[in-house]
Amino acid sequence: MAADSGSGGGARGGVGVPGYQPGAADSPGNGSRGTEPRGTVTVTGTGSADAAPDLMVVSIGVECRAESVEAAYSRAGAGSDAVASAFRRHGVEGADIRTAALNVRADMTWREGGGQRVTGYVAACTLTIRLRAPGSASAAISEAVGAGGNDVRLNGLELTFSDDAAVRARAREAAWLDAASTARQYAQLASARLGRVLSIADNVPVQGPVPLARMQRAASVEQVAVEPGDSTVAAAITVVWELQDLT
């Protein structure tokens, strides 16, 4: 079950009550007591929501060395095609396979008395693959690595959501509850009560270390199991309330 959480005590805020003394009588002409604002309180609340990711983005490529540019480029192309074909056999659509990088460079060595010398050429091609069934990603990645052989470079993976709107909405709700709870506490400490909401700002939360998918060695030595686990979406908001006299 997805779990939502506020920061609990992580909210930040301040009370702005210029010239306000809690419980003081209203000046003539200010209207009835408890209806006029007596300052503001500004609070930043944070929250998060957890859910199982439904999309895995894999960065994988090939790197080939050869004596000529043409040979290195040709090997890299063949290896990249083999990797892409392996993913297609596991149901990955063409739109989810993208070439992210392609380069060829000279392989240089230094020799005493001879300076730098070209000893060959290196061609590299990197693909970005979107796997829409993270639970079955292990088999697809294993076959792709096997198809590319020793030239394959598995650069990493990211677990995310194809549409995170629902999870983000729960994170914002948790952030709102966190901010409101802290604002009520500040109002009580100031012997006041919360009035209208004057402004709401959606902030970019400070992200901590992002955990990668848990990876463990499976029973077969030919495959590494990828366990998607849960991913967390964080939200932060800054809210300004009026402060009013207690009635």
Side-chain angles (χ1 to χ4, degrees):
M1 178 179 294
D4 302 340
S5 62
S7 66
R12 302 187 304 276
V15 180
V17 284
Y20 173 50
Q21 295 180 356
D26 291 334
S27 300
N30 281 350
S32 60
R33 186 178 179 188
T35 60
E36 291 295 322
R38 292 296 185 245
T40 61
V41 57
T42 302
V43 175
T44 297
T46 59
S48 62
D50 298 335
D54 63 354
L55 180 66
M56 179 183 293
V57 181
V58 179
S59 176
I60 188 172
V62 294
E63 185 178 78
C64 303
R65 286 174 170 80
E67 293 183 356
S68 68
V69 171
E70 182 181 3
Y73 188 83
S74 177
R75 276 185 56 191
S80 180
D81 287 345
V83 169
S85 296
F87 281 112
R88 289 191 182 95
R89 286 193 292 272
H90 282 265
V92 179
E93 300 291 337
D96 290 329
I97 301 175
R98 179 174 64 89
T99 300
L102 177 62
N103 62 80
V104 181
R105 62 177 175 83
D107 196 9
M108 310 288 291
T109 60
W110 172 268
R111 291 186 179 180
E112 189 68 29
Q116 282 191 330
R117 182 179 178 182
V118 176
T119 58
Y121 297 89
V122 179
C125 180
T126 302
L127 300 175
T128 298
I129 313 293
R130 291 184 293 182
L131 302 177
R132 300 186 181 276
S136 60
S138 297
I141 295 173
S142 179
E143 183 173 336
V145 169
N150 292 335
D151 292 334
V152 166
R153 304 293 181 266
L154 184 56
N155 303 315
L157 58 86
E158 176 189 4
L159 287 162
T160 184
F161 305 97
S162 55
D163 183 1
D164 67 353
V167 184
R168 197 164 295 281
R170 296 204 309 273
R172 285 194 294 265
E173 181 178 357
W176 171 268
L177 294 175
D178 181 43
S181 175
T182 304
R184 282 193 295 269
Q185 181 186 21
Y186 279 129
Q188 290 171 0
L189 292 171
S191 299
R193 65 183 178 87
L194 294 181
R196 296 180 304 152
V197 172
L198 300 179
S199 68
I200 303 174
D202 193 13
N203 304 330
V204 178
V206 177
Q207 296 285 355
V210 179
L212 296 176
R214 291 172 292 164
M215 302 184 71
Q216 66 179 22
R217 180 66 60 181
S220 170
V221 296
E222 299 176 355
Q223 183 170 308
V224 174
V226 178
E227 300 179 5
D230 279 353
S231 291
T232 300
V233 172
I237 59 171
T238 298
V239 188
V240 180
W241 278 273
E242 285 182 343
L243 282 178
Q244 294 182 345
D245 278 332
L246 295 171
T247 55

